[in-house]
Amino acid sequence: MLFTYVPLTRAFNQGPMYSRMASGDWSVRNLDLRGWRGLRWEWASGQPEVTSYVGIHTETAPYPCQRIWIVCRTPGQVTHELGAALVQRLLARPGMVEVALFTHRQLPFSEYRSPDLYVTLDALEEDSQTLPGYLSAHGRIELRVQPSLLPRPVEGPDEPNCVVQASYEARRFGAISAAQRWAPIADALADRIDLEAYLDELQGSDTPPLPSLELHWLHGPIQCAPILALQRYPFDLQSMNTGTAWMVHDDSAWSLDPHGETQRIGDQLVAQLQTEGWSLMRSGSGSATLALGPRRLDIRPMDSLEGQAEFLPEWQARDGRLLGIHHYHPFSAEECAEYLQTCLGEGLQPIQLDSLLHLIDPQQRRELRQLLERLAASDAPAMTTAQQTILEHLRG
């Protein structure tokens, strides 16, 4: 029984990134695999139960689903083990090109290589008790499937948006290794969530699946103009995410600690932003949305982790309400058109164009289509072949 406490495992490592080679074999991309996940053995009784389940999603088939990053935005034994379980299932899925797992505090902020889809995992509730020969655990997990690490300000039925919450409860007796404590719970959650079934819906069955874009078609990181008002809070502002998105100048988020004065600091920040040139689009219930040209800034209090996890990749108890700040600066329709024309000129294939159009913000697609349709209806010189091709694919 005492073996339950022997440290035969390094609990969670930085997640490996797997890439499928031309031969069909998988290779590990990053090299931070020195930690040993430990022995997995147990002589125990008792199986976990998924006690409740809520799922909401929209279907947007076809959609490319070959490069997927799983991101554990909050710490938690079950959260990380569930991420590992989902990785193993995705590796066995035909057609996958890349699979990655990012554990808490190893979030993908330092490299610009957005996947087709993010699968984010958050522990909304987690409680466990481990004694020699006994394990008791219960909690609640939220899983999201979306094309960006942070939910975009504009969401619609033409963009993947899957949200699943599942609760679990387990009591087990017997000798259990540290590496095996949470695996049965994670497997039960993975069975119930059934991520593969949702990916099948997204890929579609009526037409061939859209391929994942090759990386050389993706533009590199872009430096966005700083938000001067935020520089007034150097010690209270914590970066949550620095943008990793395609056709986007910036997609970033911060939490701001108002030290118990949420309303005053929020009003003060909005006034400073307006002085800087931002226009107030909406305000109420302690939140505000501001705009500066195509840029959007969303500010709102974070009452709790639940429902606000998109701003808070750390599970922490703080006095008062933190302010969540989300900055989103997409390419303009003109910039999208110019970038796509360049790609077509360099050999982008029609099916790859479809993939790229599906991966950008739905609002960007609508504005791009409106731009090209105005150009087609005007008395201006004839559209280029590339512009006509883009418009045809947007209409189709």
Side-chain angles (χ1 to χ4, degrees):
M1 298 298 184
L2 294 178
F3 279 97
T4 305
Y5 288 90
V6 175
L8 295 176
T9 179
R10 177 180 174 181
F12 304 112
N13 311 309
Q14 179 174 357
M17 179 177 289
Y18 302 89
S19 296
R20 193 184 291 277
M21 298 181 292
S23 63
D25 298 328
W26 286 97
S27 64
V28 179
R29 183 176 175 277
N30 72 318
L31 301 178
D32 189 13
L33 299 176
R34 295 182 296 273
W36 182 33
R37 287 193 63 84
L39 296 176
R40 288 184 175 270
W41 50 266
E42 65 172 319
W43 296 277
S45 61
Q47 293 298 319
E49 293 184 359
V50 178
T51 57
S52 64
Y53 170 90
V54 178
I56 304 172
H57 71 265
T58 58
E59 298 179 24
T60 61
Y63 196 90
C65 304
Q66 297 178 336
R67 295 181 58 241
I68 296 180
W69 288 6
I70 299 173
V71 180
C72 301
R73 297 191 301 183
T74 55
Q77 304 279 10
V78 176
T79 308
H80 290 84
E81 196 66 46
L82 175 58
L86 293 175
V87 163
Q88 295 304 315
R89 295 174 186 231
L90 290 177
L91 290 177
R93 182 180 174 82
M96 295 299 296
V97 173
E98 185 175 277
V99 181
L101 171 65
F102 295 89
T103 58
H104 178 61
R105 298 195 184 280
Q106 300 288 352
L107 300 180
F109 296 164
S110 61
E111 187 176 10
Y112 191 90
R113 295 186 74 238
S114 293
D116 298 335
L117 287 169
Y118 285 94
V119 177
T120 61
L121 299 174
D122 290 290
L124 303 182
E125 179 184 352
E126 182 174 271
D127 186 34
S128 64
Q129 182 180 19
T130 303
L131 300 171
Y134 175 74
L135 170 66
S136 173
H138 70 269
R140 189 156 48 98
I141 296 284
E142 180 174 275
L143 175 145
R144 290 175 178 259
V145 182
Q146 54 199 18
S148 59
L149 190 58
L150 297 168
R152 292 165 172 164
V154 178
E155 296 181 359
D158 50 353
E159 183 172 49
N161 183 23
C162 176
V163 182
V164 172
Q165 288 191 10
S167 301
Y168 62 86
E169 185 170 356
R171 287 184 176 82
R172 305 173 67 207
F173 301 87
I176 311 168
S177 68
Q180 186 65 16
R181 288 176 188 166
W182 316 107
I185 300 174
D187 289 337
L189 287 168
D191 287 340
R192 191 65 185 271
I193 291 171
D194 200 1
L195 175 62
E196 302 98 306
Y198 180 61
L199 296 180
D200 288 340
E201 292 182 23
L202 282 181
Q203 285 186 318
S205 56
D206 297 334
T207 57
L210 289 177
S212 176
L213 271 178
E214 299 174 19
L215 295 179
H216 66 271
W217 296 123
L218 309 180
H219 60 78
I222 298 172
Q223 287 296 112
C224 190
I227 302 172
L228 300 180
L230 297 181
Q231 298 179 2
R232 300 170 182 261
Y233 307 93
F235 303 108
D236 300 324
L237 197 69
Q238 180 179 359
S239 177
M240 298 288 100
N241 177 66
T242 302
T244 54
W246 302 333
M247 301 285 220
V248 170
H249 291 284
D250 188 61
D251 186 7
S252 299
W254 305 267
S255 68
L256 177 62
D257 188 348
H259 299 289
E261 298 183 275
T262 304
Q263 187 65 50
R264 185 183 71 81
I265 295 298
D267 292 342
Q268 176 180 296
L269 178 58
V270 169
Q272 291 166 347
L273 287 164
Q274 289 178 292
T275 301
E276 190 178 324
W278 291 80
S279 300
L280 185 63
M281 305 292 291
R282 179 189 58 81
S283 65
S285 302
S287 64
T289 299
L290 299 99
L292 182 61
R295 302 166 67 180
R296 293 292 183 271
L297 197 62
D298 187 57
I299 304 171
R300 57 182 171 160
M302 297 186 293
D303 294 300
S304 64
L305 177 64
E306 182 176 354
Q308 308 293 345
E310 61 267 23
F311 282 133
L312 191 60
E314 293 188 0
W315 200 23
Q316 55 186 350
R318 301 288 294 273
D319 292 332
R321 298 187 300 169
L322 298 178
L323 280 171
I325 304 168
H326 183 195
H327 178 236
Y328 186 66
H329 183 189
F331 276 28
S332 66
E334 292 78 9
E335 289 172 318
C336 289
E338 180 180 355
Y339 173 66
L340 291 171
Q341 287 183 84
T342 300
C343 292
L344 286 169
E346 295 175 354
L348 185 74
Q349 297 302 306
I351 194 168
Q352 294 175 315
L353 175 61
D354 285 332
S355 289
L356 185 49
L357 289 173
H358 277 78
L359 290 169
I360 63 178
D361 190 316
Q363 181 65 24
Q364 287 176 292
R365 291 200 297 273
R366 288 188 284 270
E367 293 175 355
L368 177 60
R369 177 173 175 172
Q370 292 169 0
L371 171 69
L372 295 177
E373 287 181 336
R374 286 196 303 270
L375 183 60
S378 69
D379 296 329
M383 296 176 66
T384 65
T385 302
Q387 290 172 335
Q388 292 174 345
T389 300
I390 297 168
L391 182 55
E392 290 171 0
H393 283 255
L394 286 167
R395 287 171 170 172

